Amino acid sequence: MATKALPPGAVHRRALFGSLDADGWTWAGLKAFVWFLLFIVLLGYVPDRAYYFTVGRTVEIDAPILLWSPVNLCPAENHGLPCPAPAGAVVPWTIAPQQLALPAFRTNGAAAQLATHLIYFGGTDGTTSSKSTYVAEVKDGVFGAWTAGPDLPEARSGAAATVLSGAAYLIGGNGPDGKPTDTVWTLPTKGDKADLGTWAPVKGLTLPDPRAGAVAVAVTDGILVAGGRGPDGTPSSKVWKSTVDAKGVLGAFTEQAPLVAGVADASGAVVGDFVWVYGGTDAKGPTNAVQVGHFGPPGTALPGASAAPAPSAAAVAASPAASGVAQPQGVGRWASGATLNLPAPRTGASGFASNGTIYLAGGSDGHVPKSELYWAIPDSNGLLTDGWHHLSNDDLPGGLTGTSPVISGSNAILLGGTSQGGPTNSVTQASVAPLEPFFQLGLFGVVIPGLQIPGEIGQQLGYLSAAGAGSVNFALFVVLAVVFNHRPQVSAWIDRRRNRGRPVRR
Protein backbone atom coordinates (compact mmCIF):
# COMPACT_ATOMS: atom_id res chain seq x y z
CA MET A 1 0.00 0.00 0.00
CA ALA A 2 1.34 3.35 -1.02
CA THR A 3 1.92 6.01 1.63
CA LYS A 4 1.35 9.69 1.18
CA ALA A 5 4.43 11.77 0.78
CA LEU A 6 5.02 14.76 3.06
CA PRO A 7 4.47 18.19 1.49
CA PRO A 8 7.58 19.87 0.11
CA GLY A 9 9.64 21.33 2.97
CA ALA A 10 7.71 19.49 5.71
CA VAL A 11 9.59 17.62 8.47
CA HIS A 12 8.21 14.46 10.09
CA ARG A 13 8.68 15.33 13.79
CA ARG A 14 9.27 12.67 16.44
CA ALA A 15 8.94 13.00 20.26
CA LEU A 16 10.02 11.10 23.39
CA PHE A 17 13.43 10.12 22.04
CA GLY A 18 11.91 9.37 18.67
CA SER A 19 9.43 6.78 19.94
CA LEU A 20 6.24 8.75 19.28
CA ASP A 21 4.79 10.82 16.47
CA ALA A 22 4.91 14.41 17.66
CA ASP A 23 1.68 15.17 15.75
CA GLY A 24 -0.16 12.01 16.85
CA TRP A 25 -2.85 11.40 19.45
CA THR A 26 -0.61 9.30 21.72
CA TRP A 27 1.85 12.12 22.28
CA ALA A 28 -0.99 14.62 22.69
CA GLY A 29 -2.70 12.39 25.31
CA LEU A 30 0.56 11.90 27.19
CA LYS A 31 1.16 15.64 27.33
CA ALA A 32 -2.40 16.22 28.56
CA PHE A 33 -1.90 13.66 31.33
CA VAL A 34 1.36 15.31 32.45
CA TRP A 35 -0.34 18.69 32.56
CA PHE A 36 -3.20 17.19 34.57
CA LEU A 37 -0.75 15.78 37.14
CA LEU A 38 1.10 19.07 37.28
CA PHE A 39 -2.19 20.88 37.90
CA ILE A 40 -3.02 18.57 40.85
CA VAL A 41 0.45 18.82 42.36
CA LEU A 42 0.78 22.60 42.12
CA LEU A 43 -2.76 23.56 43.12
CA GLY A 44 -3.70 20.69 45.42
CA TYR A 45 -0.85 18.69 46.91
CA VAL A 46 1.65 21.51 47.54
CA PRO A 47 -0.86 23.83 49.33
CA ASP A 48 -2.01 20.88 51.43
CA ARG A 49 1.57 20.12 52.50
CA ALA A 50 2.12 23.82 53.20
CA TYR A 51 -0.78 23.81 55.67
CA TYR A 52 0.41 20.73 57.55
CA PHE A 53 4.00 21.98 57.54
CA THR A 54 2.74 24.98 59.51
CA VAL A 55 0.53 23.21 62.06
CA GLY A 56 2.02 19.71 62.24
CA ARG A 57 4.96 18.30 64.16
CA THR A 58 6.03 16.58 60.93
CA VAL A 59 4.99 16.76 57.31
CA GLU A 60 4.94 13.75 55.01
CA ILE A 61 5.98 14.05 51.39
CA ASP A 62 4.75 11.04 49.46
CA ALA A 63 4.90 9.11 52.78
CA PRO A 64 2.01 6.78 51.82
CA ILE A 65 4.46 5.11 49.43
CA LEU A 66 7.40 5.30 51.85
CA LEU A 67 7.62 1.48 51.49
CA TRP A 68 10.92 1.19 53.36
CA SER A 69 12.85 3.81 55.29
CA PRO A 70 16.51 3.10 56.06
CA VAL A 71 16.89 6.49 57.75
CA ASN A 72 14.74 7.12 60.87
CA LEU A 73 15.30 9.78 63.51
CA CYS A 74 13.07 9.75 66.63
CA PRO A 75 12.71 12.44 69.31
CA ALA A 76 14.37 12.07 72.70
CA GLU A 77 10.92 11.97 74.35
CA ASN A 78 10.67 8.28 73.34
CA HIS A 79 13.44 7.50 75.84
CA GLY A 80 15.30 4.81 73.93
CA LEU A 81 12.44 3.00 72.20
CA PRO A 82 13.25 1.43 68.83
CA CYS A 83 12.76 3.92 66.01
CA PRO A 84 10.05 3.89 64.79
CA ALA A 85 8.32 2.49 67.88
CA PRO A 86 6.49 -0.83 67.40
CA ALA A 87 2.69 -0.61 67.27
CA GLY A 88 1.31 -0.73 70.81
CA ALA A 89 4.61 0.05 72.54
CA VAL A 90 4.60 2.63 75.34
CA VAL A 91 7.14 5.25 76.31
CA PRO A 92 9.18 3.67 79.16
CA TRP A 93 7.62 3.96 82.61
CA THR A 94 8.72 6.57 85.14
CA ILE A 95 7.98 6.92 88.84
CA ALA A 96 6.35 10.21 89.78
CA PRO A 97 8.16 12.45 92.32
CA GLN A 98 7.49 11.68 95.96
CA GLN A 99 5.34 14.81 96.36
CA LEU A 100 2.89 13.24 93.87
CA ALA A 101 2.81 9.83 95.57
CA LEU A 102 -0.35 8.58 97.30
CA PRO A 103 -0.73 9.92 100.86
CA ALA A 104 -0.56 6.36 102.25
CA PHE A 105 0.68 2.92 101.25
CA ARG A 106 -2.12 1.16 99.38
CA THR A 107 -2.57 -2.04 97.38
CA ASN A 108 -5.57 -3.86 95.89
CA GLY A 109 -7.55 -0.64 95.73
CA ALA A 110 -9.42 0.78 92.76
CA ALA A 111 -9.01 3.89 90.62
CA ALA A 112 -10.91 5.94 88.07
CA GLN A 113 -10.94 9.31 86.35
CA LEU A 114 -14.08 11.42 86.55
CA ALA A 115 -13.87 14.62 84.50
CA THR A 116 -10.62 16.21 85.73
CA HIS A 117 -10.49 14.16 88.94
CA LEU A 118 -8.06 11.27 89.32
CA ILE A 119 -9.44 9.12 92.17
CA TYR A 120 -8.03 6.24 94.21
CA PHE A 121 -10.41 4.54 96.60
CA GLY A 122 -10.25 1.75 99.16
CA GLY A 123 -7.46 -0.80 99.17
CA THR A 124 -5.37 -2.06 102.05
CA ASP A 125 -2.07 -1.19 103.69
CA GLY A 126 -1.28 -4.90 103.82
CA THR A 127 -3.11 -5.43 107.10
CA THR A 128 -6.30 -3.39 107.27
CA SER A 129 -8.77 -2.46 104.54
CA SER A 130 -9.41 1.25 104.03
CA LYS A 131 -12.42 3.39 103.18
CA SER A 132 -10.32 6.44 102.30
CA THR A 133 -10.57 8.15 98.92
CA TYR A 134 -7.75 10.27 97.48
CA VAL A 135 -8.28 12.82 94.70
CA ALA A 136 -5.86 14.68 92.41
CA GLU A 137 -6.65 17.08 89.60
CA VAL A 138 -5.45 15.70 86.26
CA LYS A 139 -5.28 16.71 82.62
CA ASP A 140 -3.88 14.33 80.01
CA GLY A 141 -1.83 12.49 82.60
CA VAL A 142 -0.43 15.58 84.32
CA PHE A 143 -1.74 15.66 87.88
CA GLY A 144 -1.14 17.56 91.09
CA ALA A 145 -0.87 16.65 94.76
CA TRP A 146 -3.41 14.30 96.32
CA THR A 147 -6.10 15.47 98.72
CA ALA A 148 -8.71 13.66 100.77
CA GLY A 149 -11.93 12.87 98.92
CA PRO A 150 -15.32 11.49 99.96
CA ASP A 151 -14.89 8.32 102.03
CA LEU A 152 -16.47 5.02 101.06
CA PRO A 153 -19.46 3.95 103.17
CA GLU A 154 -17.30 1.08 104.45
CA ALA A 155 -13.77 -0.23 103.97
CA ARG A 156 -13.17 -2.22 100.77
CA SER A 157 -10.24 -3.99 99.11
CA GLY A 158 -10.12 -6.19 96.05
CA ALA A 159 -13.24 -4.49 94.64
CA ALA A 160 -13.99 -4.10 90.94
CA ALA A 161 -14.40 -0.59 89.56
CA THR A 162 -15.53 1.03 86.33
CA VAL A 163 -16.93 4.31 85.01
CA LEU A 164 -20.29 4.60 83.22
CA SER A 165 -22.05 7.78 82.10
CA GLY A 166 -19.86 10.08 84.17
CA ALA A 167 -20.12 8.15 87.44
CA ALA A 168 -17.72 5.74 89.13
CA TYR A 169 -18.95 2.37 90.38
CA LEU A 170 -17.31 0.21 93.05
CA ILE A 171 -18.56 -3.37 92.94
CA GLY A 172 -18.14 -6.05 95.59
CA GLY A 173 -14.75 -6.42 97.24
CA ASN A 174 -13.65 -7.60 100.66
CA GLY A 175 -15.23 -5.82 103.61
CA PRO A 176 -13.63 -4.89 106.95
CA ASP A 177 -13.90 -8.55 108.01
CA GLY A 178 -11.98 -9.70 104.94
CA LYS A 179 -15.01 -11.45 103.44
CA PRO A 180 -16.49 -10.80 99.95
CA THR A 181 -19.45 -8.44 99.73
CA ASP A 182 -22.30 -7.90 97.26
CA THR A 183 -22.48 -4.10 97.45
CA VAL A 184 -22.62 -1.73 94.47
CA TRP A 185 -21.69 1.87 95.26
CA THR A 186 -21.53 4.89 92.99
CA LEU A 187 -19.73 8.24 93.05
CA PRO A 188 -21.38 10.81 90.73
CA THR A 189 -20.29 14.23 89.59
CA LYS A 190 -22.46 17.32 89.87
CA GLY A 191 -22.61 20.88 88.60
CA ASP A 192 -20.95 22.57 85.64
CA LYS A 193 -17.50 21.97 87.13
CA ALA A 194 -18.21 18.26 87.58
CA ASP A 195 -17.52 18.43 91.31
CA LEU A 196 -17.46 15.09 93.09
CA GLY A 197 -20.55 14.01 94.99
CA THR A 198 -20.52 11.41 97.75
CA TRP A 199 -20.37 7.62 97.66
CA ALA A 200 -23.73 5.95 98.07
CA PRO A 201 -25.22 2.51 97.41
CA VAL A 202 -27.04 2.16 94.08
CA LYS A 203 -30.69 1.94 95.05
CA GLY A 204 -32.03 -1.58 94.80
CA LEU A 205 -28.88 -2.99 93.17
CA THR A 206 -26.59 -5.65 94.63
CA LEU A 207 -24.64 -8.54 93.16
CA PRO A 208 -26.49 -11.88 93.01
CA ASP A 209 -23.71 -13.30 95.23
CA PRO A 210 -20.79 -11.76 97.16
CA ARG A 211 -17.66 -11.29 95.05
CA ALA A 212 -14.09 -10.05 95.50
CA GLY A 213 -11.36 -9.94 92.88
CA ALA A 214 -13.89 -9.77 90.03
CA VAL A 215 -13.54 -7.95 86.70
CA ALA A 216 -15.95 -5.09 85.95
CA VAL A 217 -16.12 -3.36 82.57
CA ALA A 218 -18.48 -0.75 81.19
CA VAL A 219 -20.22 -1.67 77.93
CA THR A 220 -22.51 0.34 75.70
CA ASP A 221 -25.66 -0.28 77.74
CA GLY A 222 -24.49 -1.24 81.21
CA ILE A 223 -21.86 -2.99 83.32
CA LEU A 224 -20.47 -6.51 83.04
CA VAL A 225 -19.04 -8.31 86.08
CA ALA A 226 -17.04 -11.50 85.51
CA GLY A 227 -15.33 -14.03 87.76
CA GLY A 228 -14.06 -13.25 91.24
CA ARG A 229 -14.16 -15.18 94.52
CA GLY A 230 -17.24 -16.01 96.51
CA PRO A 231 -17.46 -16.73 100.25
CA ASP A 232 -15.86 -20.15 99.73
CA GLY A 233 -12.78 -18.58 98.12
CA THR A 234 -13.16 -20.54 94.86
CA PRO A 235 -12.62 -18.64 91.58
CA SER A 236 -15.99 -18.28 89.87
CA SER A 237 -16.99 -18.50 86.20
CA LYS A 238 -20.19 -16.53 86.72
CA VAL A 239 -20.81 -13.47 84.52
CA TRP A 240 -23.51 -10.91 85.30
CA LYS A 241 -24.76 -7.81 83.52
CA SER A 242 -26.67 -4.79 84.77
CA THR A 243 -28.41 -2.91 81.96
CA VAL A 244 -29.33 0.78 82.05
CA ASP A 245 -32.92 1.69 81.26
CA ALA A 246 -34.21 4.64 79.25
CA LYS A 247 -33.67 6.91 82.25
CA GLY A 248 -30.06 5.80 82.70
CA VAL A 249 -30.80 3.74 85.82
CA LEU A 250 -29.00 0.42 86.27
CA GLY A 251 -31.28 -2.60 86.55
CA ALA A 252 -30.83 -5.87 88.39
CA PHE A 253 -27.93 -8.09 87.37
CA THR A 254 -28.83 -10.88 84.97
CA GLU A 255 -26.75 -13.96 84.25
CA GLN A 256 -24.71 -14.15 81.07
CA ALA A 257 -22.86 -17.06 79.47
CA PRO A 258 -20.23 -18.28 81.97
CA LEU A 259 -16.49 -17.99 81.46
CA VAL A 260 -14.68 -20.98 80.00
CA ALA A 261 -12.96 -21.35 83.38
CA GLY A 262 -13.45 -19.67 86.75
CA VAL A 263 -10.91 -16.98 87.51
CA ALA A 264 -10.24 -14.30 90.15
CA ASP A 265 -7.88 -11.30 90.31
CA ALA A 266 -7.84 -11.23 86.50
CA SER A 267 -7.52 -8.22 84.20
CA GLY A 268 -10.34 -7.04 81.98
CA ALA A 269 -10.78 -4.75 79.00
CA VAL A 270 -13.18 -3.95 76.18
CA VAL A 271 -11.94 -3.44 72.62
CA GLY A 272 -14.57 -2.94 69.94
CA ASP A 273 -17.26 -5.61 70.27
CA PHE A 274 -15.15 -7.93 72.41
CA VAL A 275 -14.69 -8.30 76.16
CA TRP A 276 -11.33 -9.67 77.32
CA VAL A 277 -10.65 -11.38 80.64
CA TYR A 278 -7.01 -12.41 80.93
CA GLY A 279 -4.64 -13.77 83.53
CA GLY A 280 -5.70 -14.11 87.15
CA THR A 281 -5.93 -17.14 89.40
CA ASP A 282 -7.92 -20.26 88.51
CA ALA A 283 -8.46 -23.46 90.47
CA LYS A 284 -4.79 -24.43 89.96
CA GLY A 285 -3.18 -21.06 90.71
CA PRO A 286 -1.92 -18.17 88.55
CA THR A 287 -2.87 -18.68 84.91
CA ASN A 288 -1.93 -17.37 81.48
CA ALA A 289 -5.36 -18.10 80.03
CA VAL A 290 -7.14 -15.43 78.00
CA GLN A 291 -10.92 -15.56 77.62
CA VAL A 292 -12.77 -13.44 75.08
CA GLY A 293 -16.49 -12.89 74.63
CA HIS A 294 -18.36 -11.14 71.84
CA PHE A 295 -20.66 -8.45 73.18
CA GLY A 296 -23.70 -7.96 71.00
CA PRO A 297 -27.30 -9.00 70.29
CA PRO A 298 -28.46 -12.43 71.45
CA GLY A 299 -27.19 -15.33 69.36
CA THR A 300 -24.04 -13.68 67.97
CA ALA A 301 -21.31 -16.17 67.19
CA LEU A 302 -17.73 -15.97 68.40
CA PRO A 303 -14.67 -17.45 66.68
CA GLY A 304 -12.34 -19.28 69.03
CA ALA A 305 -10.51 -22.49 69.78
CA SER A 306 -12.80 -23.67 72.57
CA ALA A 307 -15.96 -22.21 74.01
CA ALA A 308 -17.91 -22.28 77.22
CA PRO A 309 -21.30 -24.02 77.10
CA ALA A 310 -24.32 -21.96 76.17
CA PRO A 311 -26.80 -21.00 78.93
CA SER A 312 -29.00 -23.83 80.20
CA ALA A 313 -32.52 -24.42 78.89
CA ALA A 314 -33.90 -23.12 82.18
CA ALA A 315 -31.94 -19.88 81.83
CA VAL A 316 -33.16 -19.46 78.25
CA ALA A 317 -36.77 -20.07 79.30
CA ALA A 318 -36.46 -17.43 82.01
CA SER A 319 -34.86 -14.86 79.70
CA PRO A 320 -36.71 -11.72 78.57
CA ALA A 321 -36.61 -12.93 74.96
CA ALA A 322 -38.71 -15.98 75.89
CA SER A 323 -41.40 -13.61 77.16
CA GLY A 324 -41.47 -11.58 73.94
CA VAL A 325 -39.51 -8.71 75.49
CA ALA A 326 -36.60 -7.22 73.54
CA GLN A 327 -33.46 -8.74 75.03
CA PRO A 328 -30.57 -6.36 75.79
CA GLN A 329 -27.12 -6.99 74.38
CA GLY A 330 -24.80 -9.32 76.22
CA VAL A 331 -22.16 -12.02 75.98
CA GLY A 332 -23.63 -15.29 74.70
CA ARG A 333 -20.42 -17.33 74.61
CA TRP A 334 -16.79 -17.12 75.69
CA ALA A 335 -13.78 -18.60 73.91
CA SER A 336 -10.20 -19.37 74.83
CA GLY A 337 -7.25 -21.14 73.29
CA ALA A 338 -3.49 -21.47 73.11
CA THR A 339 -3.25 -18.79 70.40
CA LEU A 340 -4.75 -16.25 72.84
CA ASN A 341 -2.79 -17.08 75.98
CA LEU A 342 -0.35 -14.76 77.74
CA PRO A 343 3.37 -15.54 77.50
CA ALA A 344 3.42 -16.37 81.25
CA PRO A 345 0.96 -16.81 84.14
CA ARG A 346 0.05 -13.56 85.86
CA THR A 347 -2.38 -12.70 88.65
CA GLY A 348 -3.15 -9.36 90.27
CA ALA A 349 -1.77 -7.52 87.24
CA SER A 350 -2.91 -4.15 85.91
CA GLY A 351 -4.95 -4.57 82.76
CA PHE A 352 -6.18 -1.74 80.54
CA ALA A 353 -6.97 -0.92 76.93
CA SER A 354 -5.94 2.05 74.80
CA ASN A 355 -5.96 2.79 71.07
CA GLY A 356 -7.34 -0.65 70.23
CA THR A 357 -4.59 -2.41 72.21
CA ILE A 358 -4.91 -4.46 75.40
CA TYR A 359 -2.14 -4.29 78.01
CA LEU A 360 -1.07 -6.27 81.07
CA ALA A 361 1.48 -4.71 83.41
CA GLY A 362 3.20 -6.39 86.33
CA GLY A 363 1.30 -8.93 88.41
CA SER A 364 2.60 -11.99 90.16
CA ASP A 365 3.52 -15.48 89.02
CA GLY A 366 2.45 -16.78 92.42
CA HIS A 367 5.83 -16.15 94.02
CA VAL A 368 7.09 -12.58 93.48
CA PRO A 369 5.81 -9.38 91.84
CA LYS A 370 6.87 -9.17 88.19
CA SER A 371 7.75 -6.15 86.05
CA GLU A 372 6.99 -7.25 82.47
CA LEU A 373 4.56 -5.36 80.26
CA TYR A 374 2.76 -7.43 77.63
CA TRP A 375 0.47 -6.08 74.94
CA ALA A 376 -1.61 -7.43 72.07
CA ILE A 377 -3.63 -5.90 69.24
CA PRO A 378 -6.89 -7.80 68.59
CA ASP A 379 -8.25 -7.97 65.06
CA SER A 380 -11.89 -7.37 64.07
CA ASN A 381 -12.75 -11.03 64.78
CA GLY A 382 -11.48 -11.02 68.35
CA LEU A 383 -8.30 -12.92 67.49
CA LEU A 384 -4.68 -12.14 68.37
CA THR A 385 -3.11 -12.92 65.01
CA ASP A 386 0.23 -11.40 66.07
CA GLY A 387 0.11 -12.76 69.61
CA TRP A 388 1.41 -10.92 72.66
CA HIS A 389 4.38 -8.55 72.47
CA HIS A 390 7.08 -7.69 74.98
CA LEU A 391 9.84 -5.09 74.88
CA SER A 392 12.36 -4.86 77.72
CA ASN A 393 12.35 -1.04 77.44
CA ASP A 394 8.66 -1.08 78.41
CA ASP A 395 8.95 -3.13 81.61
CA LEU A 396 8.04 -1.47 84.91
CA PRO A 397 10.92 -0.02 86.98
CA GLY A 398 10.33 -2.84 89.47
CA GLY A 399 7.96 -5.73 90.12
CA LEU A 400 4.45 -4.64 91.13
CA THR A 401 1.19 -6.43 91.81
CA GLY A 402 -2.15 -5.13 93.03
CA THR A 403 -1.77 -1.76 91.30
CA SER A 404 -4.78 0.19 90.05
CA PRO A 405 -4.61 1.44 86.44
CA VAL A 406 -6.15 4.58 84.94
CA ILE A 407 -5.98 5.83 81.34
CA SER A 408 -5.82 9.63 81.30
CA GLY A 409 -5.62 11.04 77.80
CA SER A 410 -2.57 9.46 76.19
CA ASN A 411 -1.10 8.31 79.52
CA ALA A 412 -1.37 5.14 81.59
CA ILE A 413 -1.09 5.66 85.35
CA LEU A 414 -0.56 2.85 87.88
CA LEU A 415 -1.44 3.73 91.47
CA GLY A 416 -0.07 1.99 94.54
CA GLY A 417 0.45 -1.78 94.58
CA THR A 418 2.77 -4.25 96.23
CA SER A 419 6.48 -4.48 95.47
CA GLN A 420 8.92 -7.03 96.86
CA GLY A 421 9.19 -4.81 99.92
CA GLY A 422 5.43 -4.71 100.55
CA PRO A 423 2.64 -2.18 99.81
CA THR A 424 3.78 1.08 98.21
CA ASN A 425 2.41 4.57 97.63
CA SER A 426 4.25 5.05 94.33
CA VAL A 427 2.64 6.35 91.15
CA THR A 428 4.07 4.93 87.92
CA GLN A 429 3.31 6.54 84.58
CA ALA A 430 3.89 6.02 80.86
CA SER A 431 2.64 7.47 77.59
CA VAL A 432 0.77 5.01 75.39
CA ALA A 433 1.41 7.22 72.34
CA PRO A 434 5.13 7.30 71.47
CA LEU A 435 6.08 10.04 69.04
CA GLU A 436 6.63 9.19 65.39
CA PRO A 437 10.06 9.84 63.80
CA PHE A 438 10.59 13.51 63.04
CA PHE A 439 12.67 12.61 59.98
CA GLN A 440 12.41 9.61 57.65
CA LEU A 441 14.04 9.07 54.29
CA GLY A 442 12.69 6.22 52.20
CA LEU A 443 12.73 4.93 48.66
CA PHE A 444 9.80 7.05 47.44
CA GLY A 445 9.16 9.58 50.17
CA VAL A 446 10.42 11.64 53.04
CA VAL A 447 9.12 12.88 56.40
CA ILE A 448 10.52 16.22 57.57
CA PRO A 449 10.00 18.31 60.74
CA GLY A 450 7.16 20.82 60.70
CA LEU A 451 6.75 24.14 62.47
CA GLN A 452 4.01 22.83 64.81
CA ILE A 453 2.49 26.24 65.55
CA PRO A 454 -0.30 25.44 68.06
CA GLY A 455 -3.82 26.72 68.54
CA GLU A 456 -5.95 29.07 66.48
CA ILE A 457 -2.92 31.11 65.42
CA GLY A 458 -1.29 28.04 63.91
CA GLN A 459 -4.46 27.12 62.07
CA GLN A 460 -4.85 30.61 60.58
CA LEU A 461 -1.19 30.73 59.57
CA GLY A 462 -1.65 27.30 58.02
CA TYR A 463 -4.50 28.59 55.90
CA LEU A 464 -2.37 31.56 54.82
CA SER A 465 0.52 29.24 53.94
CA ALA A 466 -1.77 27.06 51.85
CA ALA A 467 -3.31 30.08 50.11
CA GLY A 468 0.11 31.62 49.43
CA ALA A 469 1.50 28.37 48.04
CA GLY A 470 -1.57 27.95 45.87
CA SER A 471 -1.37 31.50 44.52
CA VAL A 472 2.34 31.27 43.71
CA ASN A 473 1.89 27.88 42.07
CA PHE A 474 -1.04 29.13 40.00
CA ALA A 475 1.10 31.97 38.70
CA LEU A 476 3.89 29.48 37.98
CA PHE A 477 1.42 27.20 36.26
CA VAL A 478 0.29 30.06 33.98
CA VAL A 479 3.90 30.99 33.16
CA LEU A 480 4.74 27.38 32.30
CA ALA A 481 1.68 27.11 30.11
CA VAL A 482 2.56 30.32 28.21
CA VAL A 483 6.17 29.22 27.73
CA PHE A 484 5.18 25.76 26.57
CA ASN A 485 2.67 27.06 24.02
CA HIS A 486 4.88 29.89 22.69
CA ARG A 487 8.21 28.16 22.46
CA PRO A 488 9.40 29.90 19.23
CA GLN A 489 8.67 33.34 20.63
CA VAL A 490 10.26 32.47 23.99
CA SER A 491 13.36 31.07 22.24
CA ALA A 492 13.65 34.22 20.14
CA TRP A 493 13.29 36.40 23.24
CA ILE A 494 16.01 34.43 25.03
CA ASP A 495 18.31 34.77 22.04
CA ARG A 496 17.75 38.51 21.98
CA ARG A 497 18.60 38.73 25.65
CA ARG A 498 21.78 36.75 25.08
CA ASN A 499 22.87 38.84 22.13
CA ARG A 500 22.15 42.22 23.75
CA GLY A 501 25.33 44.21 24.12
CA ARG A 502 27.36 41.97 21.81
CA PRO A 503 29.11 43.69 18.85
CA VAL A 504 27.50 43.04 15.51
CA ARG A 505 29.76 41.18 13.11
CA ARG A 506 30.16 42.70 9.65
Side-chain angles (χ1 to χ4, degrees):
M1 180 177 178
T3 57
K4 294 183 178 180
L6 292 172
V11 178
H12 192 81
R13 298 185 305 121
R14 304 294 295 179
L16 201 62
F17 308 105
S19 61
L20 294 176
D21 182 357
D23 298 317
W25 284 107
T26 303
W27 178 238
L30 183 60
K31 288 191 294 183
F33 180 71
V34 171
W35 279 106
F36 175 71
L37 290 181
L38 190 63
F39 185 85
I40 292 177
V41 169
L42 290 178
L43 300 185
Y45 182 76
V46 172
D48 175 81
R49 297 297 86 188
Y51 173 83
Y52 286 106
F53 177 78
T54 305
V55 301
R57 191 184 68 86
T58 60
V59 60
E60 303 171 349
I61 302 175
D62 289 340
I65 55 173
L66 191 60
L67 299 185
W68 176 64
S69 176
V71 179
N72 297 280
L73 301 178
C74 284
E77 290 87 342
N78 282 2
H79 296 293
L81 280 179
C83 184
V90 306
V91 175
W93 299 86
T94 58
I95 299 177
Q98 186 59 36
Q99 59 265 32
L100 299 181
L102 293 172
F105 289 1
R106 289 288 182 268
T107 186
N108 293 325
Q113 180 176 342
L114 290 180
T116 60
H117 311 293
L118 182 62
I119 313 168
Y120 184 90
F121 28 90
T124 173
D125 59 5
T127 303
T128 306
S129 295
S130 172
K131 65 177 182 179
S132 298
T133 295
Y134 303 123
V135 181
E137 294 304 305
V138 63
K139 183 177 181 181
D140 193 24
V142 179
F143 57 94
W146 296 87
T147 59
D151 285 347
L152 300 173
E154 190 178 59
R156 286 291 183 272
S157 64
T162 190
V163 174
L164 179 69
S165 301
Y169 291 86
L170 191 68
I171 301 169
N174 293 313
D177 58 0
K179 297 180 180 179
T181 63
D182 63 358
T183 55
V184 180
W185 299 332
T186 183
L187 176 66
T189 55
K190 57 184 181 180
D192 296 337
K193 296 182 179 180
D195 294 330
L196 293 178
T198 57
W199 287 99
V202 178
K203 186 177 180 180
L205 183 62
T206 58
L207 294 173
D209 292 307
R211 285 290 182 272
V215 167
V217 293
V219 290
T220 53
D221 64 345
I223 295 175
L224 276 173
V225 178
R229 291 186 180 85
D232 62 358
T234 303
S236 173
S237 63
K238 293 282 188 179
V239 179
W240 302 309
K241 177 171 181 271
S242 175
T243 303
V244 294
D245 61 17
K247 296 181 180 179
V249 178
L250 286 170
F253 282 97
T254 57
E255 191 168 337
Q256 306 286 295
L259 297 170
V260 177
V263 70
D265 300 323
S267 299
V270 176
V271 176
D273 296 331
F274 295 91
V275 181
W276 298 83
V277 176
Y278 46 109
T281 299
D282 62 15
K284 298 179 180 179
T287 179
N288 67 340
V290 176
Q291 306 182 61
V292 57
H294 183 277
F295 180 79
T300 50
L302 173 70
S306 61
S312 65
V316 173
S319 68
S323 307
V325 180
Q327 189 173 359
Q329 297 190 96
V331 179
R333 193 174 296 271
W334 294 82
S336 65
T339 58
L340 300 175
N341 288 349
L342 292 164
R346 289 291 183 269
T347 186
S350 291
F352 52 92
S354 180
N355 302 323
T357 303
I358 55 177
Y359 296 88
L360 182 138
S364 171
D365 61 357
H367 302 288
V368 295
K370 309 297 284 188
S371 62
E372 289 84 2
L373 174 79
Y374 300 117
W375 76 88
I377 304 176
D379 64 16
S380 59
N381 294 316
L383 300 175
L384 304 181
T385 53
D386 293 331
W388 289 86
H389 303 271
H390 171 254
L391 192 64
S392 59
N393 304 57
D394 282 345
D395 288 344
L396 300 175
L400 281 175
T401 184
T403 60
S404 302
V406 175
I407 294 294
S408 178
S410 61
N411 291 270
I413 305 173
L414 307 183
L415 303 172
T418 299
S419 66
Q420 291 192 14
T424 178
N425 65 344
S426 65
V427 177
T428 310
Q429 187 173 359
S431 171
V432 295
L435 296 176
E436 295 293 327
F438 61 84
F439 179 82
Q440 289 181 286
L441 181 61
L443 295 179
F444 297 100
V446 63
V447 174
I448 61 175
L451 297 178
Q452 199 179 7
I453 302 176
E456 183 70 20
I457 293 178
Q459 188 177 49
Q460 296 301 324
L461 290 177
Y463 291 147
L464 289 175
S465 297
S471 300
V472 171
N473 287 346
F474 180 77
L476 179 61
F477 185 82
V478 171
V479 170
L480 289 174
V482 171
V483 170
F484 188 83
N485 287 280
H486 297 81
R487 283 177 292 177
Q489 294 89 331
V490 172
S491 296
W493 179 82
I494 293 175
D495 289 340
R496 289 196 300 270
R497 299 291 297 180
R498 286 178 177 175
N499 294 329
R500 179 176 295 179
R502 293 182 181 179
V504 179
R505 294 183 181 179
R506 297 185 181 271

